[in-house]
Amino acid sequence: MVVTEDIEVPSWDLYELSIPATVFGKPQPDLADPWYYLRLCGTGDRSPNSPGSPGAAPGFGLRTPYGLEDLVGADTVIVPSVPDPCVEDGVPLPPRLIEALRRAYEAGARMVSLCTGAFALAEAGLLDGRRATAHWMHTGQLAERYPKVRVDDSVLYVDDGDVLTSAGMTAGLDLCLHLVRRDLGAHVANQLARRMVVPAHRPGGQAQFIDLSVPATDDAGLAPVLEWAQAHLDQPLTIEDLARRAAVSPRTFYRRLRQATGTTRLQWLLNQRLGRAQSLLESTALPVERIAQLSGLGTANNLRHHFLKHIAISPADYRRAFPHQSPEGKVTNPSS
């Protein structure tokens, strides 16, 4: 596993680091013997007298006994994430890292990224022409920066044989358990998941977590109309209705909506209605039929259809991920 020593590591990146360390780094001799042998390979200077990372708050520095040269010859190479400046600000990744990833792949290693680690694989050219994913908050940047990559922001992970990528945070655990399932079988992966107190396989993809809310707009005349529409999603809303409230022609309203949100009136309304349905499923115990009416999706069957098509999970499965709700729609506190 790659550890970026020479770039300050934020404390929140510990999560992606700890997932493969937990799955592959702790022997499980009663499940499979031998287990994996995990090496943490740092990107920093390996000379004995080299200084460590400056580690200014809120980050910290890491020192590992292995270097990038140890990636070559590994069976599997994992890049758990890359530093935020490399994603957000385009700060270049260490050239030594990119070269080491290419050499490891050419030597036959299986290449794996978690979350923003996909940016390192993409920079090395290992995702060109392949389907890949990352955290949904960064898939747009990944697609823009690396147009040869077929980015899919709807899945928890992508298994493309010798190159695998996952979405962010807990999706990295889904991918690591998938690797165990591939290598050692379903029984071993299921038993390991039980020990970690996590599902062996989660339903749906990361589409269920994507924020469907309307993007911010500088169009002062359009914003009040969109806010009004959000408050009346349970009613039929035609482009003529919205254009009338904006005091413009339907054609002008369509153009301005497209400029402001990047989508059509029908897709914008569907996104808002799905978002309303998600919120009601999360925060109330209302029947699915009632949620379909309040969100403007009409019937329970229509709600299920759009959930499965656009969020890749059923309303019932989506609701199970949230606390138990009272029939009045209030969250029930089990400890009260």
Side-chain angles (χ1 to χ4, degrees):
M1 179 169 62
V2 174
V3 176
T4 52
E5 294 177 314
D6 49 350
I7 301 177
E8 184 181 291
V9 181
S11 56
W12 51 84
D13 278 353
L14 272 175
Y15 190 68
E16 275 85 10
L17 284 168
S18 68
I19 288 172
T22 301
V23 172
F24 304 113
K26 181 181 180 180
Q28 307 282 348
D30 59 321
L31 295 182
D33 193 14
W35 193 250
Y36 299 88
Y37 182 76
L38 179 67
R39 288 181 173 180
L40 306 184
C41 300
T43 59
D45 187 353
R46 312 264 24 106
S47 60
N49 298 322
S50 63
S53 169
F60 58 89
L62 295 172
R63 295 290 289 166
T64 66
Y66 301 101
L68 292 175
E69 63 277 5
D70 294 295
L71 295 181
V72 180
D75 295 308
T76 301
V77 172
I78 301 174
V79 185
S81 63
V82 299
D84 286 350
C86 298
V87 177
E88 302 293 345
D89 305 321
V91 173
L93 287 160
R96 292 178 60 250
L97 169 60
I98 302 307
E99 179 58 28
L101 293 175
R102 290 176 180 146
R103 290 178 56 215
Y105 177 73
E106 290 167 358
R110 177 173 59 182
M111 309 301 290
V112 178
S113 69
L114 312 183
C115 194
T116 57
F119 283 78
L121 298 190
E123 183 66 25
L126 304 184
L127 299 183
D128 288 357
R130 294 179 184 265
R131 180 167 160 260
T133 194
H135 193 294
W136 64 265
M137 293 181 67
H138 302 299
T139 48
Q141 293 162 302
L142 182 66
E144 182 178 0
R145 197 172 301 172
Y146 304 101
K148 293 182 180 180
V149 182
R150 295 186 288 116
V151 178
D152 186 346
D153 64 0
S154 68
V155 294
L156 293 174
Y157 59 82
V158 174
D159 181 344
D160 198 30
D162 55 349
V163 178
L164 301 91
T165 55
S166 87
M169 304 301 286
T170 307
L173 179 54
D174 293 305
L175 177 53
C176 287
L177 287 172
H178 172 73
L179 289 170
V180 174
R181 191 177 300 111
R182 264 185 52 170
D183 296 340
L184 303 175
H187 176 74
V188 172
N190 292 344
Q191 290 302 308
L192 180 61
R194 286 171 61 87
R195 292 181 182 184
M196 300 180 70
V197 199
V198 296
H201 181 75
R202 286 194 293 163
Q206 69 168 331
Q208 60 191 291
F209 305 110
I210 295 176
D211 185 2
L212 296 175
S213 59
V214 61
T217 174
D218 295 328
D219 191 329
L222 193 62
V225 179
L226 299 185
E227 291 174 4
W228 177 86
Q230 287 177 310
H232 296 82
L233 291 174
D234 58 332
Q235 302 175 15
L237 296 172
T238 67
I239 195 165
E240 287 77 16
D241 295 331
L242 300 176
R244 191 178 305 114
R245 294 194 70 86
V248 297
S249 70
R251 183 173 181 178
T252 298
F253 181 84
Y254 181 92
R255 175 178 52 80
R256 287 171 59 182
L257 179 68
R258 186 88 183 192
Q259 290 173 343
T261 67
T263 188
T264 65
R265 189 263 312 180
L266 289 176
Q267 187 60 53
W268 182 84
L269 279 175
L270 178 59
N271 286 347
Q272 303 314 302
R273 285 173 168 151
L274 286 171
R276 171 68 58 80
Q278 286 177 295
S279 178
L280 292 171
L281 287 168
E282 294 167 12
S283 59
T284 77
L286 292 171
V288 172
E289 291 79 4
R290 182 59 179 152
I291 289 176
Q293 294 169 0
L294 291 174
S295 60
L297 290 169
T299 66
N301 283 339
N302 198 38
L303 173 63
R304 294 188 187 98
H305 166 76
H306 285 296
F307 250 70
L308 290 170
K309 181 177 180 180
H310 298 283
I311 303 180
I313 192 172
S314 70
D317 284 337
Y318 185 86
R319 171 172 264 168
R320 289 190 189 102
F322 297 89
H324 175 67
Q325 312 293 328
S326 70
E328 294 77 19
K330 298 180 180 179
V331 177
T332 300
N333 184 351
S335 62
S336 61

